[in-house]
Amino acid sequence: MQPVERLADKLEAPSLDDRSYRVIRLPNKLEALLVHDPETDKASASVNVKVGSFSDADDMPGMAHAVEHLLFMGTKKYPKENAYSQYLASHSGYSNAYTASTETNYFFEVSANSESSDSAAPSEGESPLYGALDRFAQFFVAPLFLSETLDRELKAVDSENKKNLQSDNWRLSQLNKSLSNPKHPYHHFSTGNLETLRDAPRKRGIEIRKEFMDFHDKHYSANRMKLVVLGKEPLDQLESWVADLFADVRNKDLPLNRWDGIQPYSDKEVLTQVFAKPVMDTRLLDIYFPYQDEEHMFTTQPSRYLSHLIGHEGPGSILAYIKAKGWANGLSAGEMDVCPGSAFFTISIRLTADGLKDYQEVVKIIFQYISLMKETPPQKWIVDEIKGMAEVDFRFKQKSPASSFTSRLSSVMQKPLPREWLLSGTKLIRDFDADAITKALSYLRTDNYRLTVVSQEFPGDWDHKEKWYGTEYRTEKIPPDFEAAVRKAGESTAKDRPTELHLPHVNEFIPTRLTVEKKEVSEPSKAPKLIRNEEGVRTWWKKDDRFWVPKGNIVTTLRSPLAGVTPMNVVKTKLYCELVKDALVEYSYDAEIAGLEYNLDYNLTGLDVDISGYNDKMPVLLEKVLVSMRDLEVKPDRFKIVKERILRGYRNHIFQQPYSQVGDFTRWLGTERGFITEQYLAELPHLTPEDIISFKPQLLHQMHIEVLVHGNLYKEDALRMTTLIESTLKPRTLPELQWQVRRNLILPKGSDSTYVRTLGDPANVNNCIEYYLYVGYYADMDLRARLLLLGQLTDEPGFNQLRTKEQLGYIVFTGAKMAATTMGYRVIIQSERAPGYLEERINAFLGMFAKSLEDMTQQEFESHKKSLINKRLEKIKNLDQETSRFWGHIGSEYFNFLQVETDVAHIRSLTKQDLIDFFEHYIHPTSAYRAKLSVHMVAQTSPKQVAGNITPSEQKEKVLGLLTKYMTSMGVGVDEDKLSLHFNHIDVADGDQSAMISAVSKYLTEDAQVPEEHAQQVVEQGQQLMSTILPSLGIEVQPLTDGAEDLPPAPPVKKTVFIENVHDYKAGLEATAGPRPLMDLSEFEESEPKL
């Protein structure tokens, strides 16, 4: 047997990286990056296969995506379809995958330790990584493509596609593809659906399972695979495992796919403009330039020079000019990889209403700026600035979650990089190449682009619908006069261009002080120190003692009693924040590209001001933000633009995915004080610039200041910046007695309420449910531990039952839901099925789980406890994560910085009987004590609306008529009387699909005597037909599921009470106590020397 070949033993890595690396190639040519991380608590692996949707058959789009789904459904060594997911769930893990144009990426994450307290690398027999890797490798060695899972997984693909049908990102991306060169695979529909992957192929007589297996056989080969494995184990151990477990992946010596001979845009597609109507109220101008493939230009990366200048937002930039004209709110630019051999350079502008009218002027300005770039030789100082910041960012790069790292690196390994540069190759620019930049600019020509204009109003005469998503559009050649004006702009000289357009100045925010005083600590501090605690100010501070990077975070809440008292005040506060940010765009952009950012936002208690990044120039940016807040000049023209942008944002909220909206209503119904988007939308139109001018001083007049300073910052820095906030804003003190007390509402024992909302998007076919069970007070640590463990226990079985087996929808969540002062258990499902049916299936699942919990072995129970403890003890990966954790505890007003340790202690002590008692009392559908609130998001078009005046007998007659036509088209002779006899005892109006399909099946075999194989084909395709024709006749469908006869029955539950009046409902509920510190704050005051 050939030996494993070592390609690299040392990788160029960030300065603080404590990992060791090795790149190997197995005899079957599978290449692997092995990563030894002695400190990790999560292990991970990812395989990237260099094949994606561009390799789909033209007549079966979505094949690569379907294979990605089906690959997880059992292997020869582990035939049980959910063996992999069960193993991961029991070891604090999870998995996922994605299909891209030219690659498919599979990855998992799992505990690095066999025991929650173990810090050493576990042995092979105990290692969760080895067990997961063993199961994972089999997907690429001997997948089964289980026939019984085929239909389910294709439905999952279909559900995923339907989830995206109303997403503008997906719709506009597909429109660009559908209007591209049909000879290039960019033209493909990549997701697939039931029609493309099952129904149409079967009509053509294709055995679809064989097609998927053939695709896998044709395209999956060891030489096309890149593997990354990250674990606690030594590199030699990881190498041994990989060499053993992946040795049997077949190498077919397949060539790498390239598409050099053809481009996504032919001459027919360039110099055209496309007008597209979005779902959201959005105005965009996108410019696509066919561009060079930069895959081999990793040392120079010329497109970064282009995107740096075209995408700049500071003085002299395109955005600064068109923003001053009132034409735009934002601009982005950059290279977009298509495939080996092809790319686009794209420019995207967020237009105002005036900018939409004058979009041609915006295009001309862009080409005038491009002409400026072409006439100015490539500037080495600009490349040096980009190069220098890239080096600083890479030098101080912190760790990311394990699976994010492995998934990204397995993709990077497909690039033609020196193996020593796998970590740095895409990050660093190594050379200044003026010729390469000049060549890159040559693609940005006036005869080499396509425009897309996106708007709900303009031009209004869309005359086509895109095939896959139904996007309305119109396309035409660029009008001759417009084309000539663009050509003139592209040829402009300095005397023709606006003087406001020029290259950027030297960036004063580039950090120069990058030193970190590192001190040895026995254990990092788990809480910040309270270094100032006065009536008007609290300052928390922690000098970083974990990550040792020259970065910091300043997080501030300015409590104001006015900010959230009414919907009107909330909207005023938001408008004020957005106007300040609008005024700071040009100034703050230099800071942003130098790794220093700010944010100004609002919440119901006041304002949030955050500064994060390299600490060198942090006080400079903070002062500028504070002065801008204090001295904001409300300009009527900018007010109009910002107000309109917020208005569109509120309107667009109702077009979001239902599962993204449903939680807003659950929160609203569960809080004593709180508002929803429609309340803000009612107030915004009435606001004027004068309202904000008069509101601003009132908002800033009286506040309490709470600050967290964390990172490479000393105590004196923290105190100085706190003083800077005070001295700049000069607020009066807001006494603690005037602070808003946050309270949630208590659901009464035994209550069952349902709130129904109709979706705002008339075209979205999905319903959604959030099923919430109230458990108790947030600070009850014993109850909290039980709730968290229940979430762990139901995570995998909930997904497996509700999504995988019953196929209720692509979106399925189960687990704990935490609010300010309460907590509970929730299930979210987004589905085409009616919310009432989803509620019934959730009840059935919970009833089934009660039995599973009873039957669970002690070993399984303890394994889940360990898995949850591992999750709770997961190490913080970077400074920002630690800041977020600290600020979460401060903002909650519980100040429970030892929350993790408290949770773990309570989880450790739980017994199986504790969970059974908890479940029976708070969760079980038949419990007399449980308190439930369901929110149903209902699609606008319901079968009942469709039904109109159709009677049940007419419905049955139409169903029989359609079935007769269908079977005749499938070559089956139909005796209508005999077929009708099989339907005598079926209530068609009740939507019992299973009974109807059974009747058809009996007719085919008993009366028509159709051969079994043909009958099965007719029945399978008839199921899809049935799910379409029944709703069209106004019939609420009882969905078909695989193994429907095996579905767990739903237990009987009490009748729900529908919430008709939200005010009355909330008025009838008691509120909790507000949050209070779990420790005296004096415990956090500094009593030891600073670092």
Side-chain angles (χ1 to χ4, degrees):
M1 184 176 175
Q2 290 178 281
V4 171
E5 182 184 358
R6 293 187 180 175
L7 305 180
D9 272 312
K10 190 173 178 59
L11 271 59
E12 187 174 41
S15 60
L16 296 171
D17 194 339
D18 60 355
R19 294 167 170 164
S20 50
Y21 301 90
R22 181 182 297 168
V23 184
I24 63 172
R25 184 187 292 129
L26 303 188
N28 61 4
K29 296 188 181 179
L30 186 148
E31 197 175 298
L33 168 62
L34 312 175
V35 186
H36 165 58
D37 186 341
E39 299 300 319
T40 191
D41 53 359
K42 289 289 187 182
S44 177
S46 173
V47 165
N48 188 284
V49 188
K50 194 62 174 172
V51 64
S53 62
F54 278 14
S55 298
D56 289 346
D58 288 341
D59 62 352
M60 209 166 167
M63 284 186 75
H65 185 210
V67 168
E68 172 226 305
H69 275 252
L70 290 162
L71 206 65
F72 285 105
M73 295 294 110
T75 61
K76 188 174 181 180
K77 185 174 180 180
Y78 297 102
K80 186 179 175 184
E81 66 177 78
N82 65 334
Y84 175 58
S85 60
Q86 278 188 332
Y87 181 87
L88 294 178
S90 65
H91 291 90
S92 313
Y94 72 96
S95 69
N96 211 334
Y98 67 81
T99 303
S101 300
T102 61
E103 63 183 38
T104 307
N105 194 288
Y106 303 86
F107 57 92
F108 71 81
E109 187 172 294
V110 74
S111 173
N113 307 311
S114 57
E115 300 291 334
S116 57
S117 59
D118 207 1
S119 58
S123 64
E124 179 179 303
E126 298 175 328
S127 170
L129 174 59
Y130 181 83
L133 208 57
D134 182 21
R135 289 160 175 79
F136 185 60
Q138 291 303 307
F139 295 134
F140 310 100
V141 174
L144 291 179
F145 291 89
L146 292 169
S147 56
E148 61 267 31
T149 70
L150 181 63
D151 225 41
R152 285 210 312 263
E153 285 310 304
L154 293 182
K155 286 178 181 176
V157 170
D158 189 65
S159 183
E160 184 177 349
N161 178 60
K162 284 173 177 169
K163 171 182 71 71
N164 299 327
L165 287 178
Q166 291 301 102
S167 164
D168 280 327
N169 286 338
W170 285 90
R171 291 166 70 90
L172 295 174
S173 172
Q174 186 60 51
L175 179 62
N176 191 41
K177 292 177 180 183
S178 295
L179 295 178
S180 68
N181 183 354
K183 296 180 180 179
H184 194 281
Y186 183 68
H187 185 76
H188 283 177
F189 167 49
S190 59
T191 308
N193 58 31
L194 275 179
E195 176 63 25
T196 67
L197 294 169
R198 189 190 69 180
D199 300 340
R202 280 180 176 167
K203 287 176 184 175
R204 298 195 300 270
I206 292 173
E207 187 185 336
I208 57 173
R209 178 170 175 264
K210 184 177 182 299
E211 286 294 307
F212 297 130
M213 294 173 75
D214 288 348
F215 183 95
H216 181 271
D217 187 59
K218 179 180 178 182
H219 294 291
Y220 277 54
S221 172
N223 74 304
R224 282 185 172 180
M225 296 180 188
K226 308 298 181 186
L227 166 68
V228 180
V229 181
L230 182 154
K232 218 167 197 172
E233 294 76 8
L235 290 175
D236 288 347
Q237 180 70 81
L238 294 175
E239 181 177 316
S240 173
W241 289 355
V242 167
D244 176 42
L245 296 174
F246 288 86
D248 292 334
V249 179
R250 284 178 57 205
N251 176 32
K252 303 159 192 172
D253 274 324
L254 299 178
L256 293 180
N257 289 314
R258 289 194 66 85
W259 292 268
D260 292 302
I262 191 165
Q263 291 299 311
Y265 286 175
S266 66
D267 292 343
K268 182 181 176 183
E269 283 79 41
V270 294
L271 291 180
T272 58
Q273 54 184 2
V274 179
F275 299 95
K277 183 181 182 182
V279 173
M280 301 280 195
D281 189 0
T282 306
R283 292 186 293 265
L284 291 173
L285 168 63
D286 293 331
I287 308 178
Y288 291 84
F289 296 93
Y291 188 69
Q292 63 186 350
D293 174 12
E294 290 192 354
E295 192 172 56
H296 292 272
M297 302 180 188
F298 45 82
T299 62
T300 55
Q301 301 179 50
S303 65
R304 286 174 70 174
Y305 182 90
L306 274 58
S307 59
H308 176 77
L309 295 181
I310 294 172
H312 210 282
E313 298 179 10
S317 66
I318 296 171
L319 180 62
Y321 182 82
I322 59 179
K323 185 167 173 274
K325 286 284 190 180
W327 291 339
N329 288 311
L331 181 151
S332 60
E335 186 227 9
M336 182 181 114
D337 291 331
V338 174
C339 63
S342 305
F344 291 118
F345 190 89
T346 66
I347 304 172
S348 184
I349 303 97
R350 294 200 315 271
L351 297 172
T352 63
D354 288 341
L356 180 64
K357 295 174 189 171
D358 288 323
Y359 80 92
Q360 295 186 359
E361 295 300 315
V362 174
V363 174
K364 286 190 280 185
I365 291 296
I366 289 167
F367 275 99
Q368 285 182 324
Y369 193 88
I370 291 170
S371 75
L372 164 66
M373 292 170 63
K374 287 180 176 178
E375 77 177 23
T376 310
Q379 301 293 295
K380 186 174 184 299
W381 72 267
I382 294 178
V383 174
D384 287 344
E385 204 171 78
I386 302 168
K387 179 171 175 280
M389 270 315 303
E391 288 167 356
V392 169
D393 287 340
F394 181 72
R395 178 182 167 192
F396 296 108
K397 182 172 173 55
Q398 299 170 77
K399 290 180 181 177
S400 56
S403 58
S404 299
F405 173 86
T406 58
S407 176
R408 187 180 70 81
L409 260 294
S410 65
S411 176
V412 169
M413 286 180 74
Q414 299 285 8
K415 298 180 183 297
L417 291 165
R419 301 296 90 174
E420 293 80 6
W421 289 359
L422 286 177
L423 301 178
S424 60
T426 61
K427 305 291 184 185
L428 300 182
I429 297 175
R430 299 171 194 274
D431 303 313
F432 169 66
D433 188 336
D435 291 341
I437 292 171
T438 300
K439 183 183 177 185
L441 276 166
S442 72
Y443 289 90
L444 275 54
R445 302 192 310 271
T446 58
D447 64 347
N448 187 49
Y449 68 94
R450 180 162 84 184
L451 303 180
T452 300
V453 180
V454 179
S455 166
Q456 285 190 335
E457 298 91 25
F458 179 81
D461 57 347
W462 310 280
D463 52 5
H464 290 81
K465 278 194 175 184
E466 193 274 324
K467 178 178 180 179
W468 302 109
Y469 288 80
T471 304
E472 293 182 67
Y473 73 94
R474 178 163 69 83
T475 184
E476 63 186 25
K477 295 297 286 185
I478 300 286
D481 56 340
F482 181 27
E483 183 184 348
V486 170
R487 193 180 314 115
K488 182 179 178 183
E491 297 167 354
S492 64
T493 60
K495 63 181 176 59
D496 305 316
R497 286 190 296 269
T499 56
E500 295 91 336
L501 294 179
H502 56 80
L503 296 184
H505 50 64
V506 174
N507 190 343
E508 301 297 335
F509 276 100
I510 300 290
T512 54
R513 283 191 310 123
L514 295 167
T515 55
V516 178
E517 183 184 2
K518 186 172 182 179
K519 292 189 176 182
E520 292 301 320
V521 292
S522 57
E523 184 182 9
S525 174
K526 293 179 179 177
K529 294 294 181 185
L530 184 56
I531 59 174
R532 190 170 164 192
N533 188 11
E534 301 165 10
E535 188 180 22
V537 179
R538 272 201 305 242
T539 301
W540 301 84
W541 163 76
K542 181 189 170 186
K543 174 73 169 66
D544 173 41
D545 56 3
R546 280 181 192 263
F547 305 105
W548 312 110
V549 289
K551 293 184 175 184
N553 293 308
I554 305 167
V555 192
T556 307
T557 280
L558 306 174
R559 285 188 182 87
S560 169
L562 292 180
V565 71
T566 64
M568 174 68 86
N569 277 22
V570 172
V571 177
K572 286 181 182 178
T573 306
K574 180 176 176 65
L575 252 172
Y576 164 72
C577 292
E578 292 301 316
L579 287 165
V580 172
K581 289 192 283 189
D582 185 71
L584 279 168
V585 167
E586 288 186 39
Y587 178 87
S588 65
Y589 187 74
D590 275 351
E592 183 182 328
I593 59 177
L596 185 60
E597 298 182 350
Y598 85 97
N599 189 42
L600 172 64
D601 211 343
Y602 71 99
N603 59 55
L604 292 182
T605 62
L607 299 169
D608 293 327
V609 185
D610 306 338
I611 310 285
S612 63
Y614 294 105
N615 57 276
D616 182 16
K617 309 285 173 52
M618 195 168 266
V620 179
L621 181 58
L622 176 61
E623 182 174 18
K624 179 67 175 180
V625 172
L626 293 168
V627 169
S628 299
M629 291 171 63
R630 183 193 67 196
D631 298 341
L632 174 68
E633 179 187 352
V634 181
K635 299 176 181 177
D637 58 336
R638 295 311 303 170
F639 175 87
K640 177 184 174 184
I641 289 168
V642 171
K643 175 183 172 181
E644 194 269 344
R645 188 171 71 215
I646 295 171
L647 190 65
R648 282 189 293 124
Y650 285 150
R651 287 174 178 159
N652 286 339
H653 182 79
I654 65 174
F655 287 88
Q656 289 184 351
Q657 290 286 346
Y659 76 91
S660 298
Q661 299 183 53
V662 70
D664 294 345
F665 296 106
T666 314
R667 281 188 291 273
W668 178 51
L669 293 165
T671 53
E672 187 180 41
R673 294 179 60 209
F675 314 110
I676 52 175
T677 302
E678 67 183 43
Q679 293 172 292
Y680 303 145
L681 193 53
E683 303 296 342
L684 182 57
H686 306 292
L687 292 178
T688 65
E690 291 70 31
D691 291 321
I692 306 304
I693 291 169
S694 61
F695 181 68
K696 183 199 76 172
Q698 297 171 23
L699 182 67
L700 302 181
H701 174 67
Q702 189 176 25
M703 295 186 293
H704 176 269
I705 300 169
E706 183 132 38
V707 186
L708 168 64
V709 179
H710 178 219
N712 190 37
L713 296 156
Y714 291 92
K715 179 180 178 181
E716 291 76 14
D717 298 323
L719 292 171
R720 272 197 298 270
M721 285 189 272
T722 304
T723 301
L724 178 62
I725 296 168
E726 284 182 290
S727 61
T728 306
L729 299 179
K730 296 184 173 65
R732 275 187 59 216
T733 295
L734 179 70
E736 191 173 14
L737 278 172
Q738 294 184 34
W739 297 6
Q740 179 182 327
V741 178
R742 292 175 302 145
R743 303 176 193 270
N744 287 104
L745 300 173
I746 300 169
L747 299 187
K749 290 178 182 177
S751 64
D752 189 319
S753 303
T754 299
Y755 181 66
V756 180
R757 293 283 300 202
T758 302
L759 280 180
D761 181 359
N764 198 314
V765 298
N766 293 297
N767 301 295
C768 187
I769 181 174
E770 179 161 15
Y771 177 110
Y772 174 75
L773 301 171
Y774 173 81
V775 167
Y777 185 48
Y778 179 86
D780 185 328
M781 295 305 157
D782 193 48
L783 268 183
R784 177 184 162 92
R786 286 165 164 76
L787 176 61
L788 292 173
L789 184 52
L790 176 66
Q792 161 69 26
L793 290 166
T794 60
D795 182 43
E796 194 280 333
F799 188 88
N800 186 52
Q801 183 64 36
L802 298 172
R803 180 182 150 174
T804 305
K805 289 186 175 177
E806 298 195 29
Q807 287 292 308
L808 295 179
Y810 185 74
I811 302 296
V812 175
F813 298 133
T814 61
K817 181 184 179 82
M818 303 294 177
T821 60
T822 58
M823 58 188 173
Y825 180 82
R826 63 100 178 262
V827 180
I828 290 180
I829 303 175
Q830 179 172 298
S831 171
E832 289 184 81
R833 317 278 170 88
Y837 179 78
L838 300 178
E839 182 127 8
E840 178 185 314
R841 298 317 308 152
I842 294 169
N843 285 332
F845 164 69
L846 293 175
M848 179 190 75
F849 179 77
K851 179 73 165 57
S852 300
L853 184 58
E854 286 275 3
D855 296 342
M856 188 176 291
T857 67
Q858 192 60 35
Q859 183 181 359
E860 288 175 316
F861 182 77
E862 291 300 323
S863 175
H864 277 292
K865 278 174 60 177
K866 288 171 186 174
S867 183
L868 176 60
I869 288 170
N870 276 328
K871 287 178 184 175
R872 296 299 295 137
L873 292 174
E874 184 174 346
K875 290 181 179 177
I876 293 168
K877 301 295 187 294
N878 52 56
L879 186 74
D880 289 346
Q881 281 188 5
E882 187 171 50
T883 301
S884 295
R885 178 177 289 186
F886 287 158
W887 191 246
H889 294 313
I890 293 168
S892 74
E893 298 182 76
Y894 291 107
F895 302 95
N896 189 8
F897 297 106
L898 299 179
Q899 177 80 70
V900 168
E901 291 76 9
T902 305
D903 284 345
V904 168
H906 281 81
I907 293 164
R908 282 193 200 281
S909 66
L910 291 176
T911 66
K912 180 181 160 184
Q913 191 58 49
D914 289 334
L915 259 291
I916 291 173
D917 293 343
F918 172 81
F919 188 89
E920 291 296 328
H921 184 88
Y922 291 99
I923 309 297
H924 199 287
T926 61
S927 168
Y929 300 96
R930 79 166 192 164
K932 183 175 77 69
L933 169 65
S934 285
V935 176
H936 293 181
M937 302 286 291
V938 182
Q940 282 193 29
T941 306
S942 71
K944 287 180 180 176
Q945 290 172 312
V946 173
N949 296 318
I950 301 177
T951 65
S953 60
E954 289 173 329
Q955 288 173 329
K956 180 179 280 192
E957 183 181 338
K958 287 180 180 291
V959 167
L960 287 169
L962 289 166
L963 284 172
T964 298
K965 286 182 181 177
Y966 161 67
M967 285 190 281
T968 302
S969 74
M970 295 292 288
V972 177
V974 180
D975 183 323
E976 294 182 31
D977 292 335
K978 289 182 178 179
L979 176 63
S980 181
L981 284 174
H982 287 283
F983 275 74
N984 271 352
H985 303 293
I986 297 175
D987 184 358
V988 170
D990 193 42
D992 190 346
Q993 261 193 107
S994 295
M996 287 182 251
I997 292 297
S998 177
V1000 171
S1001 182
K1002 285 181 180 178
Y1003 171 78
L1004 291 170
T1005 55
E1006 295 174 7
D1007 297 316
Q1009 297 188 349
V1010 173
E1012 184 178 346
E1013 188 177 337
H1014 188 202
Q1016 184 180 356
Q1017 185 181 11
V1018 173
V1019 167
E1020 285 176 352
Q1021 292 188 30
Q1023 291 178 2
Q1024 175 68 14
L1025 176 68
M1026 207 60 95
S1027 66
T1028 302
I1029 65 173
L1030 294 180
S1032 74
L1033 296 172
I1035 299 168
E1036 293 276 5
V1037 179
Q1038 294 182 24
L1040 278 169
T1041 54
D1042 298 320
E1045 68 279 1
D1046 299 325
L1047 285 182
V1053 294
K1054 68 179 65 176
K1055 189 174 182 181
T1056 193
V1057 175
F1058 286 92
I1059 300 170
E1060 304 291 346
N1061 184 304
V1062 172
H1063 177 271
D1064 289 352
Y1065 168 76
K1066 292 170 76 167
L1069 301 180
E1070 293 182 6
T1072 65
R1076 288 165 289 182
L1078 297 182
M1079 292 174 61
D1080 192 293
L1081 294 191
S1082 63
E1083 297 282 330
F1084 301 107
E1085 292 180 356
E1086 193 174 29
S1087 58
E1088 55 193 57
K1090 67 179 176 62
L1091 276 172

